[in-house]
Amino acid sequence: MYTIDNKSYPCCTSVTMRFIGGKWKAVILHHLIDGAKRYNELRKDIPTITERTLSLQLKQLEEDNIIDRKVYTEKPPLMVEYTLTDFGKTLLPVLEAITQWGIEAPVNSKKIIKN
């Protein structure tokens, strides 16, 4: 049994999914693998995510210490960049495995059509 923020998780897989589960977290993290991105860059990279959802997911990932949010205020306009933290980088093997599975899935399933 594991506990995070006073909530119990029955196994190690549920702990992992607590941090990257849902429709968008792994997608956002995938786009941060190669380095820092600004909010608008993420919006362009993930056109089907709503602004509200992106903001909420980024906030959760930041609260979980998976990503770091850096605000640059030296000169207008205000700029915000997101990067993976060292803790977030420990998820790279998991994200790479998810990505590889997604690449190979259309070959192994007639249900998946790559456009």
Side-chain angles (χ1 to χ4, degrees), residues 17 20 26 92-103:
M17 295 311 293
I20 65 165
L92 289 177
V94 176
L95 296 169
E96 289 167 3
I98 290 170
T99 300
Q100 191 58 42
W101 188 91
I103 290 168

Side-chain angles (χ1 to χ4, degrees), residues 53-66:
T53 300
L54 179 58
S55 294
L56 289 172
Q57 297 294 285
L58 288 168
K59 186 175 182 177
Q60 284 180 353
L61 289 165
E62 183 184 6
E63 288 172 358
D64 288 337
N65 193 35
I66 303 293

Side-chain angles (χ1 to χ4, degrees), residues 55-82:
S55 294
L56 289 172
Q57 297 294 285
L58 288 168
K59 186 175 182 177
Q60 284 180 353
L61 289 165
E62 183 184 6
E63 288 172 358
D64 288 337
N65 193 35
I66 303 293
I67 64 170
D68 184 48
R69 178 179 185 265
K70 185 167 184 179
V71 180
Y72 296 92
T73 59
E74 291 93 37
K75 58 181 181 176
L78 179 83
M79 189 174 88
V80 178
E81 266 188 352
Y82 297 93

Side-chain angles (χ1 to χ4, degrees), residues 10-78:
C11 68
C12 54
T13 302
S14 62
V15 170
T16 305
M17 295 311 293
R18 154 65 172 76
F19 288 100
I20 65 165
K23 185 175 179 178
W24 297 110
K25 285 183 181 177
V27 175
I28 292 166
L29 295 173
H30 171 77
H31 287 284
L32 293 174
I33 287 173
D34 293 327
K37 294 251 179 155
R38 295 190 320 269
Y39 179 86
N40 284 333
E41 290 177 301
L42 289 169
R43 282 280 294 137
K44 288 177 188 172
D45 288 345
I46 315 168
T48 53
I49 193 172
T50 66
E51 287 190 39
R52 182 177 190 278
T53 300
L54 179 58
S55 294
L56 289 172
Q57 297 294 285
L58 288 168
K59 186 175 182 177
Q60 284 180 353
L61 289 165
E62 183 184 6
E63 288 172 358
D64 288 337
N65 193 35
I66 303 293
I67 64 170
D68 184 48
R69 178 179 185 265
K70 185 167 184 179
V71 180
Y72 296 92
T73 59
E74 291 93 37
K75 58 181 181 176
L78 179 83

